[in-house]
Amino acid sequence: MPERPVATEDALEWARARGIGALAQKMGFEWLEFTPDRAVARMPVEGNTQPVGLFHGGAYVVLGESLGSMHANYHAGPGRLAVGVDINATHTRSATSGYVTGVCTPLHLGRTLAVHEIVVSDDEGRRCSTVRITNHLKDLPVA
């Protein structure tokens, strides 16, 4: 795992180098911004829909969990790991085309817990889903 950078401008490269995992990659996850204060990414609606053509509710959660977990791991720092312990989502609109964009902001960044809110909007800036994730921060086992 790459070391966490100190400079804000290097945080996006840290996130890209760390990787997002096979599921998010398969769904078209794309980083737009990553700083110590927030993380932003998007996913295409096409290929991530329910049979009726709406963006799948689980896809909102994948986007939210990817953003929140990654930001929590950044906060955790070297030699530590963030693991999700709770996630919930409230869907308020359905995207049917284009992209959805998630903006992840920390609500709490502590020593053992990190809580993030991810607001997911469509291309017109309308909120489609609000995801909240709590991650437990722990030390990696010493080899």
Side-chain angles (χ1 to χ4, degrees), residues 78-143:
R80 304 196 75 212
L81 179 66
V83 292
V85 295
D86 182 68
I87 191 164
N88 66 70
T90 301
H91 311 311
T92 51
R93 178 177 292 277
S94 298
T96 56
S97 64
Y99 286 85
V100 294
T101 301
V103 178
C104 171
T105 54
L107 300 176
H108 172 78
L109 295 174
R111 188 179 60 77
T112 59
L113 283 180
V115 181
H116 290 82
E117 178 182 69
I118 301 89
V119 174
V120 184
S121 303
D122 64 13
D123 283 337
E124 295 177 35
R126 299 175 298 189
R127 185 183 296 227
C128 296
S129 186
T130 304
V131 181
R132 190 185 63 116
I133 183 170
T134 302
N135 280 279
H136 171 67
L137 311 178
K138 63 183 199 167
D139 294 331
L140 288 172
V142 179

Side-chain angles (χ1 to χ4, degrees), residues 1-20 31 33-36 38-39 66-82:
M1 176 180 343
E3 290 294 314
R4 179 176 67 164
V6 176
T8 299
E9 60 271 8
D10 297 329
L12 180 58
E13 288 309 312
W14 174 89
R16 287 182 174 147
R18 188 167 191 279
I20 55 164
W31 284 113
E33 178 184 337
F34 195 96
T35 71
R38 73 185 209 152
S66 298
L67 280 162
S69 293
M70 213 32 175
H71 201 269
N73 273 288
Y74 180 83
H75 168 70
R80 304 196 75 212
L81 179 66

Side-chain angles (χ1 to χ4, degrees), residues 20-89:
I20 55 164
L23 176 60
Q25 185 175 1
K26 194 176 287 189
M27 295 178 75
F29 182 103
E30 177 185 349
W31 284 113
L32 301 177
E33 178 184 337
F34 195 96
T35 71
D37 299 320
R38 73 185 209 152
V40 182
R42 70 181 189 165
M43 274 186 184
V45 172
E46 185 177 334
N48 294 311
T49 58
Q50 300 174 350
V52 295
L54 305 175
F55 194 72
H56 196 288
Y60 288 119
V61 177
V62 169
L63 179 59
E65 183 159 3
S66 298
L67 280 162
S69 293
M70 213 32 175
H71 201 269
N73 273 288
Y74 180 83
H75 168 70
R80 304 196 75 212
L81 179 66
V83 292
V85 295
D86 182 68
I87 191 164
N88 66 70

